[in-house]
Amino acid sequence: MNKISIVGAGMTGATTAHWLAERELANLVLVDVVEGMPQGKSLDMLQSMPVIGKDVSILGTNDYAATAGSDIIIITAGMPRKPGMSRDDLLTVNAEIVGKAAMETLKHSPDAIFIVLTNPLDTMAYLTLKKTGLPRERVIGQAGILDSARMRAFVSMETGVSVENINCYVLGGHGDEMVPLTRHSNIAGIPLRDYIPADKLEAIVARTRKGGGEIVNLLKTGSAYYAPAAACAQIAEAILKNKHLIVPCAAYMQGEYGLNDMYFGVPVMLGRSGLERIIEYEFDEAEKANFEKSAASVKETHDALRKLVEL
Ligand SMILES: NC(=O)c1ccc[n+]([C@@H]2O[C@H](COP(=O)([O-])OP(=O)(O)OC[C@H]3O[C@@H](n4cnc5c(N)ncnc54)[C@H](O)[C@@H]3O)[C@@H](O)[C@H]2O)c1
């Protein structure tokens, strides 16, 4: 059985474990700094396995030693947003938490592939890569699957078409400057622009960009977790099943799309070695401008990190 360790047993961490356990994909370890909480959640989840008929071990702990030999490490530890906060406001507090989580887990699982969820996402993935010194194939940031799923849900709500027929591609940084690609997105092969009136499509794009904030404002005490966790589980499954699945994820750029030494949301192929390749789309002028605006914003956060932490 494969082994996946999740650091941070809060809302996204525990929900990721839930989605993963349902898939019977791997034995699971949940690590958190809060005493008793990962143990309690894991025991509760473990006791649901007989009901759904899945043979998976789920262990909660405060000790990184229990993560030894993991195939995949998922980092969700850190503070979520509260109303009025941007993801970048979390940089200082989360950089320390993610840096420690990455190094502690690497010590016990030197061959693991890392999936990073903590915000500010692109910069926390960059921090994980730089701190661990791992090749880019083994450090993947989750953002684009979630942002694209939000857009797919909104398109389905607008059109009444099954989510299965709706393909959306949201690239760029995981912030309000993200880039929903309406030309590449489609309903059963029909470009969105030809299916949905322009004003309605514009509203969907705007709602997608603020999709995380909409939920933060409703919840008031934290941020989204069902869909982010489902996205993490999809990445883990694509890797462990060697699916060669193409999905948007944050990847370390080495010249692709004209970008270097930064994490950014692009279509990637995922398989057993992690990130197998980056797919490059052709952009028109407007798409290119949006992409560059989003890259500039992510670069700023990377610069702020470099001032904060020695990499
Ligand atoms: N990339 C995305 O798409 C996306 C989506 C949702 C949330 N997030 C981010 O994920 C992070 C977690 O969100 P959440 O809703 O699960 O928050 P949460 O507060 O529910 O859980 C975070 C957990 O991290 C734990 N933690 C803190 N410091 C730790 C440490 N040093 N070691 C181990 N655990 C530690 C906390 O005790 C807490 O249980 C946030 O930064 C949030 O912004 C990202």
Side-chain angles (χ1 to χ4, degrees):
M1 192 78 163
N2 290 303
K3 178 170 178 177
I4 300 177
S5 292
I6 302 169
V7 188
M11 301 311 289
T12 56
T15 312
T16 300
H18 187 179
W19 289 117
L20 286 170
E22 272 207 298
R23 291 176 188 199
E24 210 175 29
L25 194 63
N27 288 325
L28 304 171
V29 176
L30 274 166
V31 192
D32 204 287
V33 281
V34 179
E35 277 181 30
M37 184 269 278
Q39 290 87 343
K41 285 191 181 182
S42 297
L43 192 57
D44 184 15
M45 213 178 299
L46 184 79
Q47 290 165 358
S48 65
M49 293 302 107
V51 182
I52 64 168
K54 303 290 178 187
D55 288 302
V56 169
S57 94
I58 308 169
L59 178 79
T61 181
N62 308 114
D63 182 358
Y64 280 98
T67 65
S70 295
D71 297 282
I72 293 184
I73 305 286
I74 304 179
I75 300 182
T76 75
M79 301 291 290
R81 285 195 282 170
K82 297 213 168 64
M85 286 174 94
S86 83
R87 293 178 179 92
D88 288 354
D89 293 335
L90 302 167
L91 178 69
T92 307
V93 58
N94 285 351
E96 195 180 331
I97 295 171
V98 170
K100 178 160 188 259
M103 293 317 290
E104 287 293 324
T105 45
L106 182 70
K107 211 158 61 188
H108 296 286
S109 302
D111 299 323
I113 294 172
F114 283 70
I115 301 169
V116 181
L117 187 79
T118 306
N119 276 319
L121 183 273
D122 303 275
T123 305
M124 291 301 103
Y126 182 79
L127 171 72
T128 302
L129 180 100
K130 293 290 174 183
K131 277 262 180 199
T132 58
L134 289 173
R136 73 168 180 175
E137 289 72 19
R138 287 173 51 198
V139 181
I140 297 154
Q142 188 308 115
I145 297 176
L146 168 67
D147 298 328
S148 304
R150 285 183 172 145
M151 186 168 169
R152 292 169 72 192
F154 297 146
V155 168
S156 177
M157 285 156 68
E158 173 61 35
T159 60
V161 175
S162 164
V163 291
E164 287 190 78
N165 286 133
I166 299 169
N167 303 299
C168 291
Y169 302 95
V170 179
L171 305 186
H174 187 49
D176 293 349
E177 310 290 352
M178 67 180 70
V179 187
L181 292 174
T182 54
R183 198 165 58 92
H184 298 73
S185 303
N186 64 77
I187 299 180
I190 305 164
L192 281 193
R193 290 173 178 189
D194 297 341
Y195 202 104
I196 302 174
D199 58 328
K200 295 261 166 57
L201 188 52
E202 219 171 281
I204 288 172
V205 165
R207 193 172 177 193
T208 300
R209 286 206 171 108
K210 305 256 181 205
E214 181 178 357
I215 292 174
V216 169
N217 289 335
L218 289 166
L219 294 179
K220 295 182 184 69
T221 54
S223 56
Y225 48 97
Y226 290 114
C232 283
Q234 185 180 40
I235 295 176
E237 181 173 40
I239 292 170
L240 291 179
K241 291 188 175 168
N242 198 24
K243 283 174 78 85
H244 313 298
L245 180 75
I246 298 174
V247 276
C249 286
Y252 185 67
M253 309 304 289
Q254 292 175 315
E256 296 85 0
Y257 293 97
L259 301 173
N260 267 301
D261 192 32
M262 64 181 287
Y263 265 76
F264 207 52
V266 291
V268 302
M269 183 183 282
L270 299 176
R272 190 59 190 87
S273 56
L275 183 149
E276 296 186 317
R277 78 186 174 92
I278 291 176
I279 283 91
E280 292 197 64
Y281 287 173
E282 299 265 325
F283 286 153
D284 63 22
E285 285 309 310
E287 288 159 355
K288 209 182 285 174
N290 285 336
F291 209 69
E292 280 164 8
K293 195 169 163 203
S294 178
S297 156
V298 171
K299 272 183 204 156
E300 257 179 49
T301 317
H302 279 29
D303 286 343
L305 175 77
R306 285 191 206 96
K307 284 187 193 131
L308 204 66
V309 183
E310 204 165 316
L311 295 170

